[in-house]
Amino acid sequence: MKNKSTVIQVENVTHTYKGSSNQVLNQINLVIEKGEFCTILGRSGAGKSTFLRTMNGFICPQQGEIFIEGQKLIYTSRELRKVRNKIAMVFQHYNLVSRLTVLENVLCGMLHEIPFGRGLLGWFTEKEKSLRWSSLIRLVLQILLISAQIN
């Protein structure tokens, strides 16, 4: 890790799924600094979800390294859960509860951080809600900005 303000660093990540000759990720490099907001865009099947899954430890790439806050991501270690606590990921088609709002689904990602009873009852503090709302708003603004640049 070259810079202390680097939050995520991806170095030469390559991945091909078993039984496929199609390389989904080909020597991907990325550096995200503290305070930066990053959006990953691409056509369907381009490897966006695979890339995010490698950063969250759900998929181990065949080549390359990923560092989260300076710590090398080791896919077989007990430390993987700690790393996953630092990376939020909302899946495209599943793991969302349809009867919950977008905010409530996002808040579910922090259930491991709050007392069991509060989580069971869906009691989140105003600060917790505010932080998640601001993240959602930043995401929507980023999508709108990119959409305007594309069109």
Side-chain angles (χ1 to χ4, degrees):
M1 178 113 342
K2 293 147 182 86
N3 188 336
K4 288 185 178 183
S5 66
T6 300
V7 179
I8 297 175
Q9 183 168 345
V10 178
E11 296 178 351
N12 300 314
V13 168
T14 301
H15 186 73
T16 303
Y17 285 106
K18 285 184 180 179
S20 174
S21 60
N22 186 21
Q23 199 170 51
V24 181
L25 304 175
N26 184 8
Q27 295 187 344
I28 304 294
N29 292 288
L30 173 71
V31 174
I32 301 174
E33 302 293 337
K34 186 175 183 174
E36 283 186 322
F37 192 86
C38 179
T39 303
I40 300 169
L41 292 175
R43 61 176 172 70
S44 180
K48 302 176 300 293
S49 294
T50 301
F51 182 53
L52 291 172
R53 287 172 177 274
T54 61
M55 287 195 293
N56 206 351
F58 290 124
I59 294 175
C60 180
Q62 279 89 21
Q63 294 178 5
E65 297 178 323
I66 297 173
F67 298 87
I68 308 296
E69 295 182 338
Q71 179 183 351
K72 182 178 175 183
L73 187 58
I74 301 173
Y75 293 85
T76 58
S77 75
R78 291 182 177 179
E79 297 298 310
L80 190 55
R81 184 173 180 172
K82 291 178 186 176
V83 170
R84 285 183 180 156
N85 288 341
K86 297 177 184 179
I87 301 175
M89 183 171 173
V90 178
F91 294 89
Q92 293 177 22
H93 301 292
Y94 56 93
N95 294 348
L96 297 177
V97 180
S98 60
R99 71 178 188 280
L100 297 180
T101 66
V102 172
L103 178 61
E104 289 167 333
N105 270 289
V106 170
L107 286 165
C108 285
M110 62 170 294
L111 289 174
H112 66 280
E113 298 174 19
I114 63 174
F116 177 76
R118 272 187 48 212
L120 185 65
L121 297 171
W123 289 349
F124 299 97
T125 67
E126 288 305 314
K127 182 178 179 181
E128 292 163 346
K129 290 178 189 176
S130 176
L131 286 171
R132 276 34 179 211
W133 261 128
S134 66
S135 295
L136 284 169
I137 290 168
R138 287 176 57 205
L139 175 63
V140 169
L141 291 173
Q142 187 74 17
I143 291 169
L144 291 172
L145 177 64
I146 291 168
S147 294
Q149 291 173 351
I150 291 172
N151 294 328

